[in-house]
Structure formats: structure tokens, C-alpha cells
């Protein structure tokens, strides 16, 4: 009965786990307006948009509690650190509450871990108290590498470890979350993203301890379209 009550509570409050996301290259101003309208209607925790749309979102979401998340080094993570730091700073200046940065996967796979550590630290220092989520792009990593990347994020200023951009070869998996959770401090949170399309998908991830779900299917989830 206790588990059933928890399940019902989570289902009823699933909107507060959702970063309502639109990061497609062909997203128009009208698309962003609709995204924000939906976020207000369903009271999602945040919207997640490309940096050029932050100012518009700030105008549309004024006098609401909905956060604005934006991306840095997206989607490849291969930008120079200086560029990433500048981009993060500009996002915050324009009104972003949270930054979802992409780890430099190539540097990581080259085992240049000090580069990854310094990049995360540099961005976190620049954005100060704003939330930093580090996307490790699990689709390109082995289980051992997911563990190492999670530890690096946890030890160097990340507030969240995030699984995926949604632009890789696959999105989040439940196994990814288990590995990440085992390798981060208890104060660090997890964001699952990429391929999460149904309410049941979201509930499965939340049950493992995920604090945030990045998805473009939030409205479908709230309308219970795919819930079984």
C-alpha cells in the first residue's frame, strides 16, 4: 500500500520533475511561445531551450516560478573551454537559471580527465550559484567510463549529472542511472534525458532516484496518453 501511495503521489506531481525541452535547430519563435505556454499550463519545473531563446522565455515566464535552463557546448561538447565559459556567462546574464553543459567527450575518451575537471570547475565558478548540469553523453561511454565521468562531475562542482543530449546514438537507460547514482555524492542530483516519451518511462527513472526528466513529451505525459 505504501508503494502504491508513493506511485500515485509521483504520478500526480510528475510535472515538477520535467524540464520541458525544445532544442531542435528548426524551432521557431512561435514554437518557443507554445513551449512556454505549455509550461505555464502544466506547471513544469523548467523549460530548456537554446541560448538565443532565453530572453524570449524570460519575458513569457515573468511572474511565474518556472525556471529557464539553457545549453552550453551543445550538442557535441567539443567547443573550446573559453567559449563554453563565455557562453555560460552570457546565458546567465540573459536570464538562465540553470546551465546544461556538454562534457568534452573526445577529451574524456582520451583520458584527459584533468581537462574535464577544469572545464566543469571553470563554468561553475563563472555561473556561481546557478545550477550546473553536466551532460556526459552515456551512449558513447562504457559502464566503467560512465562511473568515472560521474565521479569527475560529482567532485568538481556539478549540481547534476545528466545522461544525454538527445542527439547521440541513444538516450538515457535505467542502467545508466544506476551507475551514476553509485558514483556521485548524495548531494548531487541526476537528470535523465533522451528518449523518455511516456509517463511510465518517467516513473521508472524517478523510482531510481532521478530528480529531473528532460523531455519534449511532457504534455503527452500530463495528458496520460501513453500511461499504462
Amino acid at each position: 500500500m505504501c508503494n502504491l501511495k508513493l506511485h500515485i503521489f509521483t504520478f500526480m506531481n510528475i510535472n515538477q520533475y520535467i524540464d520541458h525541452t525544445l532544442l531542435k535547430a528548426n524551432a521557431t519563435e512561435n514554437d518557443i511561445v507554445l513551449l512556454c505556454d505549455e509550461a505555464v499550463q502544466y506547471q513544469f519545473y523548467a523549460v530548456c531551450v537554446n541560448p538565443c531563446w532565453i530572453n524570449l522565455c524570460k519575458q513569457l515566464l515573468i511572474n511565474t516560478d518556472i525556471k529557464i535552463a539553457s545549453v552550453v557546448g551543445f550538442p557535441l561538447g567539443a567547443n573550446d573551454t573559453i567559449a563554453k565559459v563565455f557562453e555560460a556567462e552570457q546565458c546567465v546574464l540573459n536570464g538562465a537559471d540553470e546551465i546544461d553543459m556538454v562534457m568534452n567527450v573526445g577529451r574524456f575518451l582520451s583520458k584527459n580527465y584533468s581537462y574535464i575537471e577544469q572545464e566543469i570547475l571553470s563554468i561553475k565558478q563563472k555561473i556561481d550559484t546557478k545550477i550546473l548540469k553536466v551532460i556526459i553523453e552515456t551512449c558513447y561511454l562504457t559502464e566503467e567510463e560512465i562511473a568515472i565521468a560521474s565521479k569527475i562531475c560529482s567532485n568538481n562542482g556539478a549540481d547534476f549529472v545528466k545522461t544525454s543530449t538527445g542527439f547521440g546514438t541513444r538516450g538515457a537507460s535505467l542502467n545508466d542511472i544506476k551507475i551514476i547514482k553509485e558514483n556521485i555524492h548524495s548531494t548531487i542530483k541526476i537528470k535523465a534525458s533522451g528518449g523518455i516519451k511516456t509517463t511510465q518511462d518517467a516513473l521508472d527513472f524517478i523510482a531510481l532516484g532521478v530528480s529531473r526528466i528532460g523531455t519534449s513529451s511532457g504534455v503527452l505525459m500530463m495528458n496520460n496518453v501513453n500511461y499504462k
Side-chain angles (χ1 to χ4, degrees):
M1 180 64 71
C2 182
N3 288 339
L4 178 59
K5 287 181 179 179
L6 177 62
H7 180 84
I8 293 171
F9 174 82
T10 304
F11 176 63
M12 295 299 292
N13 294 274
I14 198 170
N15 59 322
Q16 282 298 293
Y17 288 86
I18 291 176
D19 285 359
H20 194 34
T21 302
L22 181 56
L23 295 168
K24 293 180 179 179
N26 61 346
T28 66
E29 184 171 327
N30 286 340
D31 293 330
I32 299 300
V33 171
L34 177 60
L35 184 85
C36 290
D37 286 347
E38 291 170 342
V40 172
Q41 179 181 352
Y42 294 100
Q43 286 299 291
F44 292 131
Y45 187 87
V47 295
C48 186
V49 297
N50 282 304
C52 66
W53 299 118
I54 295 172
N55 282 320
L56 176 59
C57 290
K58 188 175 182 180
Q59 295 170 24
L60 294 168
L61 297 173
I62 194 169
N63 298 325
T64 77
D65 294 326
I66 299 165
K67 305 298 183 184
I68 300 171
S70 194
V71 290
V72 163
F74 195 86
L76 301 179
N79 310 58
D80 188 86
T81 296
I82 294 174
K84 285 183 175 178
V85 171
F86 179 79
E87 187 175 23
E89 181 181 27
Q90 288 303 120
C91 286
V92 169
L93 288 173
N94 287 335
D97 302 293
E98 303 184 351
I99 299 297
D100 291 29
M101 66 159 283
V102 186
M103 178 182 76
N104 190 314
V105 180
R107 293 279 191 179
F108 177 83
L109 292 175
S110 300
K111 300 188 185 305
N112 192 346
Y113 301 145
S114 62
Y115 183 98
I116 306 301
E117 292 167 354
Q118 190 56 51
E119 184 166 88
I120 296 170
L121 281 169
S122 297
I123 292 174
K124 182 58 180 176
Q125 287 170 1
K126 183 60 67 174
I127 68 172
D128 196 20
T129 58
K130 301 298 184 182
I131 296 297
L132 177 62
K133 312 187 197 92
V134 180
I135 305 170
I136 62 174
E137 200 68 292
T138 54
C139 64
Y140 298 127
L141 310 181
T142 66
E143 292 187 357
E144 180 181 4
E145 288 165 343
I146 292 171
I148 294 169
S150 299
K151 288 176 183 176
I152 289 173
C153 294
S154 182
N155 291 333
N156 291 280
D159 298 292
F160 280 75
V161 178
K162 179 177 171 181
T163 59
S164 320
T165 61
F167 288 77
T169 55
R170 68 166 176 84
S173 75
L174 297 177
N175 190 52
D176 292 338
I177 303 305
K178 292 175 184 177
I179 298 168
I180 293 169
K181 189 174 181 180
E182 290 171 357
N183 289 280
I184 57 175
H185 301 308
S186 60
T187 55
I188 308 301
K189 298 178 181 180
I190 304 172
K191 178 175 173 178
S193 62
I196 303 172
K197 297 184 180 299
T198 70
T199 309
Q200 189 60 59
D201 289 339
L203 291 173
D204 289 343
F205 281 104
I206 292 168
L208 287 179
V210 164
S211 298
R212 207 79 66 80
I213 301 289
T215 182
S216 58
S217 300
V219 172
L220 291 177
M221 291 179 187
M222 295 306 296
N223 287 328
N224 206 14
V225 171
N226 294 309
Y227 183 70
K228 296 180 181 179

